[in-house]
Amino acid sequence: MNVLVTGAAGFIGFHTAQRLLSDGYSVVGLDNFNSYYDPDLKDARWKILSKSGQFQGVRMDIADRTNLDALFKDIKPTQVVHLAAQAGVRHSVSHPHDYADANLIGMLNILEGCRHSQVDHLVYASSSSIYGANTAMPFSEHHSAAHPISLYAATKQANESMAHAYAHLYKFPATGLRFFTVYGPWGRPDMALFMFTKAILAGEPIPVFNDGNLARDFTYIDDIVEGVVRVLTRPAAQNPAWIGAPADPATSGVAPHNVFNIGCGNPVKLMDFISILEKALDRKAIVNFQPMQAGDVEQTWCDVTALEAAVGYRPAVSIEEGVSSFVDWYRAFYNT
């Protein structure tokens, strides 16, 4: 199996590529090494992947249609795990064009590559952010996701629609995975766990939005990767029981396209999360309460029953275990 993993120098892409390599796959990793966060962290991940003789690294932007088309023709991937994207809800408020380039044009280019290469399966990253203004809990793939409240979420919603259209038109299987607040070793510096850890160890205050009245369904990176790998080996199929009125957004009767949540199914209050981190660091946080930020939601909560039914797996790593693992990695990597 020759798998193309986009965003391979990123947090989830790095871990996914590592797992595929350990499972015996040949992996072509693609990343543009943009400066959204410290490129040195991406370089460190890349160097680890490059130690494998089964890894081919390509530095390229998915918005570069000409070179991406040439890459697909050259490597002829059997499967694609598309994880490259411009991430960050808050960044999308101030830098909207970054999201159009990476998440819309980039996704279109990936879909075109899959179409012409006739891949066996495209697995692509969506996000829990697409649930937006929906307040029905827990979030289910069968719920409407028609009211995104950030441009980032809107691009992820568009990705699902684009993938469904291509799966229908060109009959290649595509599966979207809605990730819920991924954390763990080698994580992104713009995420709360990374920022809080850095600030607490430096004796600096941490920003806590909405006066701490937030909850997130934190999902450990190994649980995310396990879900990705299991889904990858089970190509999406049309649902023979699907009907168009009312239409179920999680499956399709006209295209081999599915959507799954991947999350723990256990929302953690932000202040409890901070307490768990304080214990792992053996330090107290200096909390700076701030108002709600544009584009944020108060709570996420994942219904993971569809994933469990489809692939026989549900995330299991506790928040205490996951935070401890991250802290151990952070202290070792940054020598703190």
Side-chain angles (χ1 to χ4, degrees):
M1 295 294 185
N2 187 28
V3 183
L4 172 64
V5 177
T6 70
F11 174 35
I12 301 175
F14 162 68
H15 283 279
T16 300
Q18 265 199 318
R19 169 63 185 275
L20 290 170
L21 289 168
S22 70
D23 286 353
Y25 290 83
S26 294
V27 174
V28 177
L30 182 154
D31 206 288
N32 70 349
F33 286 79
N34 69 22
S35 58
Y36 174 64
Y37 64 79
D38 184 8
D40 289 343
L41 184 58
K42 298 176 184 180
D43 279 325
R45 297 175 182 139
W46 198 253
K47 287 176 182 176
I48 292 173
L49 295 175
S50 298
K51 292 178 181 178
S52 170
Q54 293 298 104
F55 179 78
Q56 176 188 347
V58 179
R59 297 194 179 213
M60 184 185 297
D61 195 321
I62 58 172
D64 181 348
R65 184 174 75 183
T66 300
N67 283 322
L68 190 64
D69 285 349
L71 179 66
F72 267 93
K73 291 175 183 177
D74 180 41
I75 66 173
K76 298 178 177 61
T78 53
Q79 295 144 312
V80 175
V81 181
H82 177 42
L83 302 172
Q86 179 56 60
V89 168
R90 292 168 192 150
H91 187 73
S92 71
V93 176
S94 56
H95 297 78
H97 291 93
D98 292 352
Y99 294 77
D101 293 341
N103 299 5
L104 299 179
I105 294 174
M107 179 64 167
L108 177 60
N109 292 341
I110 292 293
L111 289 168
E112 279 288 285
C114 291
R115 165 197 174 187
H116 292 294
S117 299
Q118 297 180 318
V119 299
D120 295 335
H121 194 191
L122 165 66
V123 174
Y124 65 93
S126 186
S127 169
S128 62
S129 296
I130 73 163
Y131 289 107
N134 175 32
T135 58
M137 296 287 175
F139 292 151
S140 167
E141 302 93 333
H142 308 293
H143 291 166
S144 169
H147 301 91
I149 60 173
S150 71
L151 181 64
Y152 169 70
T155 63
K156 288 299 184 179
Q157 181 193 54
N159 287 172
E160 292 187 8
S161 297
M162 294 164 73
H164 181 272
Y166 265 71
H168 167 65
L169 290 169
Y170 306 111
K171 305 307 178 186
F172 64 83
T175 302
L177 301 177
R178 296 173 179 173
F179 299 142
F180 281 68
T181 314
V182 189
Y183 74 101
W186 296 97
R188 281 185 9 223
D190 64 316
M191 298 293 284
L193 179 56
F194 204 112
M195 292 191 299
F196 287 0
T197 298
K198 181 179 179 180
I200 292 170
L201 288 174
E204 299 172 351
I206 60 174
V208 177
F209 298 110
N210 202 36
D211 297 321
N213 297 313
L214 297 172
R216 292 290 182 268
D217 200 329
F218 293 98
T219 312
Y220 190 64
I221 183 60
D222 289 358
D223 283 331
I224 291 288
V225 171
E226 183 67 30
V228 171
V229 171
R230 291 197 184 207
V231 167
L232 184 63
T233 61
R234 294 167 174 82
Q238 291 180 211
N239 178 5
W242 190 87
I243 56 175
D248 178 4
T251 63
S252 176
V254 297
H257 181 261
N258 292 329
V259 174
F260 293 110
N261 290 335
I262 301 185
C264 275
N266 181 32
V268 177
K269 294 180 180 178
L270 182 56
M271 298 310 296
D272 292 340
F273 176 72
I274 293 169
S275 295
I276 292 166
L277 178 57
E278 289 175 327
K279 184 176 180 180
L281 290 170
D282 195 25
R283 302 276 186 92
K284 292 297 291 182
I286 304 169
V287 176
N288 178 16
F289 288 112
Q290 297 187 15
M292 191 73 162
Q293 296 292 288
D296 274 358
V297 297
E298 289 191 7
Q299 179 176 342
T300 62
W301 181 3
C302 176
D303 181 346
V304 74
T305 53
L307 178 73
E308 186 174 19
V311 301
Y313 180 75
R314 65 181 298 132
V317 177
S318 70
I319 189 68
E320 292 83 4
E321 180 184 353
V323 168
S324 178
S325 294
F326 172 82
V327 167
D328 289 345
W329 167 81
Y330 186 95
R331 285 188 178 278
F333 187 77
Y334 290 103
N335 195 26
T336 60

